[in-house]
Amino acid sequence: MPGTALGRSGWPPTFGQRLHWHWNYWWQAHLLDCLVDAQLRAPDPERALLIARFVASVHRRNFGTWLNDFYDDIAWLGLALQRVRGLNLSTVDSAIAEIGARLHEGWTDELGGGIWWRRGDRFKNAPANGPAAIFHAREGDAERAGALTRWLSATLVDPATGLVWDGIRADTGALVKNIFTYCQGVYLGACLEQSDVDAAARTVRAVAAQLAPEDVLRGQNGGDGGLFAAILARYLALAAVRLPRPEAAVARRIVVASADACWRGASAAPGGPLFSAEWSRGAPAPPLGEVPERDLSVQIGAWMLLEAAATLY
């Protein structure tokens, strides 16, 4: 459609991907975040117009609404729109208000508090509660941000390792103890927004000890996993400027080492570099088969990492 702009979810794109039949809502939210990163780093009037077009396109492709049933998805779009608002690039106040109201709706007292992963679900997890806490903190809602972060600390932080588990099931009370870089990133971000220095520093130490061999963050394949390590890198970069030493230095070292490895491992492709899903190894050279590197999530993840590293120089 004239005047629209979205990221295709695969490269080379299939016919369906050219038409955006499958809607990767939260991938697009992170693409918007990266466009804002680039605009902050190198302001450009053409990019400013692109961002405004992109925001309008998300609303249009999402069938005239800013919302969906996944609380984590809408929290990510909310975070990106907050940054768009900060640059005065588009009128997004009503969108942010709608997202905030929906996130408030997700809270229940079951399992001690927290919001659900999605509407009608029986699972509460770090991927929803972490970005929601960051969103509320940036909106000035300290009460809800604090409640979400305290729930994460009490329920999903492993006292033995300091790492954050994935979630907890309401039907059985069973903890899902999978360890994802995503979960560490959103918990770290929530702690940083509320100046919980001790919890943030503990998380940085845990990540350095267990999730970043030779200071390079581990990848988690393509699909949604292509964004996981980058989310952690974004908040490690914030930790590098907000925490005291020595954890600030550790956070910076991980972001820079990961970015260096990512850049060195890129392969040449038409239009620019193609980045690896696993930053510690090289990306395949085109033409590509069914590999994770085809996914928009993997390429946005690398871009997000490189923008995070750029803020540290």
Side-chain angles (χ1 to χ4, degrees):
M1 294 180 64
T4 62
L6 291 171
R8 287 174 175 165
S9 57
W11 180 84
T14 64
F15 179 72
Q17 288 167 342
R18 289 180 184 275
L19 298 179
H20 298 281
W21 281 349
H22 181 69
W23 178 225
N24 292 111
Y25 175 111
W26 85 289
W27 295 11
Q28 303 288 341
H30 283 287
L31 178 52
L32 177 58
D33 235 349
C34 285
L35 287 167
V36 175
D37 286 337
Q39 187 68 5
L40 287 167
R41 174 178 47 79
D44 180 270
E46 289 189 12
R47 188 186 297 111
L49 292 173
L50 173 61
I51 289 170
R53 289 171 54 208
F54 191 97
V55 169
S57 301
V58 167
H59 188 254
R60 188 166 294 157
R61 174 57 185 83
N62 204 48
F63 304 109
T65 177
W66 300 106
L67 307 175
N68 70 14
D69 286 339
F70 290 83
Y71 291 108
D72 54 345
D73 284 10
I74 64 172
W76 285 120
L77 182 59
L79 288 169
L81 293 175
Q82 284 173 326
R83 301 179 74 218
V84 170
R85 179 181 61 188
L87 289 177
N88 296 313
L89 296 179
S90 184
T91 303
V92 294
D93 289 347
S94 62
I96 292 169
E98 284 184 52
I99 289 170
R102 176 63 65 84
L103 291 175
H104 268 275
E105 172 200 284
W107 175 278
T108 73
D109 292 333
E110 284 188 78
L111 300 169
I115 66 172
W116 302 106
W117 173 43
R118 62 180 173 181
R119 300 177 89 194
D121 203 45
R122 302 291 293 160
F123 185 55
K124 292 184 175 181
N125 62 0
N129 283 269
I134 300 168
F135 174 89
H136 289 308
R138 292 180 180 175
E139 283 300 288
D141 188 348
E143 181 179 354
R144 179 50 58 86
L148 289 165
T149 307
R150 287 191 297 273
W151 181 82
L152 285 166
S153 298
T155 310
L156 296 183
V157 175
D158 182 354
T161 66
L163 293 175
V164 182
W165 295 318
D166 184 37
I168 184 169
R169 301 192 186 281
D171 293 337
T172 63
L175 286 162
V176 178
K177 295 187 176 182
N178 297 332
I179 298 297
F180 298 117
T181 44
Y182 182 142
C183 299
Q184 319 316 309
V186 295
Y187 179 69
L188 174 60
C191 293
L192 291 170
E193 288 301 320
Q194 296 162 85
S195 301
D196 188 343
V197 172
D198 290 342
R202 180 191 64 217
T203 305
V204 169
R205 293 193 299 270
V207 166
Q210 298 164 78
L211 299 179
E214 298 184 356
D215 293 329
V216 177
L217 293 169
R218 291 173 176 162
Q220 294 189 274
N221 251 319
D224 288 347
L227 283 165
F228 287 7
I231 289 168
L232 176 51
R234 177 181 290 281
Y235 294 106
L236 283 171
L238 288 178
V241 297
R242 295 187 185 181
L243 291 182
R245 295 181 65 87
E247 286 81 13
V250 172
R252 184 186 190 280
R253 188 175 70 233
I254 293 171
V255 174
V256 170
S258 297
D260 286 346
C262 174
W263 186 259
R264 288 196 308 270
S267 65
L274 181 77
F275 296 104
S276 177
E278 184 66 59
W279 297 328
S280 61
R281 62 167 171 77
L288 304 178
E290 291 301 314
V291 295
E293 285 75 13
R294 290 188 68 253
D295 290 345
L296 176 65
S297 58
V298 171
Q299 301 309 315
I300 297 171
W303 183 5
M304 193 187 311
L305 167 68
L306 295 170
E307 293 287 2
T311 66
L312 302 178
Y313 287 95

